[in-house]
Amino acid sequence: LAWAMRSWEWLHGSGMIGQDGLVNDGLTRECANNGGTTWTYNQGVILGGLAALHEITGDPAYVRQGEVIADATLSGLTGQSGILAEPCEGAGCNGDQTQFKGIFARSLHEFYARSGKPGYRAFLLANADSVWDNARNAADQFGLRWAGPFDQADASRQSSALEVLTAAVGLTVS
């Protein structure tokens, strides 16, 4: 716990969380925000950590900071239809990047259990519906672009889409 709290204090003070609330992909040599890409997974990893810190400590400050990041992601890393989109989708994502949205969806689901903000539930359900309706082929394989159209199937795309579908099932069963 002490290491986790020190790590959060460092990250929070590092400048990697930009003024827009998004976590970017690194720091400069001078330890300033490098203005790099704001991948969905960066947001998700931090949300998962903040959810865990809140669960362990009960400190609502972790939820408040997580809501800043989650809200920024829902407004800044989505397409016109409000569906999560990775910055590389237009140019082509590599095998790691095709997994990033699933990491975010899993972490947002965990964070929602602490926050309870209705918009997070609605977002996960809308993304799961869009994956099912727009990013699936006739063989029930899932693609990268959750808003559609289906592009291609591989293990990374499939597991990423399954994360948001699993989160949606968890929201409708509980």
Side-chain angles (χ1 to χ4, degrees):
L1 176 60
W3 273 108
M5 292 175 76
R6 280 195 299 270
S7 296
W8 167 246
E9 288 171 18
W10 176 86
L11 179 69
H12 189 253
S14 73
M16 284 181 67
I17 302 172
Q19 291 180 338
D20 60 1
L22 293 172
V23 181
N24 80 334
D25 207 31
L27 298 171
T28 66
R29 289 180 191 219
E30 295 77 30
C31 291
N33 186 315
N34 71 3
T37 305
T38 51
W39 302 107
T40 59
Y41 121 93
N42 289 347
Q43 319 317 305
V45 169
I46 302 307
L47 284 180
L50 291 169
L53 283 170
H54 175 262
E55 182 177 355
I56 293 167
T57 68
D59 186 343
Y62 297 119
V63 172
R64 286 192 301 273
Q65 179 61 60
E67 287 176 343
V68 169
I69 294 168
D71 292 347
T73 304
L74 272 57
S75 65
L77 297 180
T78 56
Q80 290 181 347
S81 60
I83 303 303
L84 196 60
E86 205 60 60
C88 60
E89 286 183 20
C93 300
N94 69 32
D96 290 336
Q97 296 161 343
T98 56
Q99 180 62 51
F100 289 174
K101 290 185 293 188
I103 294 166
F104 177 78
R106 180 180 60 234
S107 295
L108 181 63
H109 181 251
E110 292 170 12
F111 185 76
Y112 169 71
R114 278 73 181 176
S115 167
K117 196 168 184 179
Y120 303 154
R121 181 181 189 278
F123 178 82
L124 289 166
L125 292 173
N127 274 263
D129 286 343
S130 188
V131 163
W132 191 258
D133 294 341
N134 303 309
R136 179 173 54 112
N137 69 11
D140 289 330
Q141 298 170 318
F142 301 106
L144 171 66
R145 293 184 299 271
W146 290 2
F150 176 83
D151 61 338
Q152 69 183 49
D154 61 31
S156 180
R157 285 168 167 81
Q158 188 80 359
S159 64
S160 184
L162 289 173
E163 290 285 4
V164 75
L165 294 171
T166 301
V169 168
L171 293 170
T172 58
V173 175
S174 52

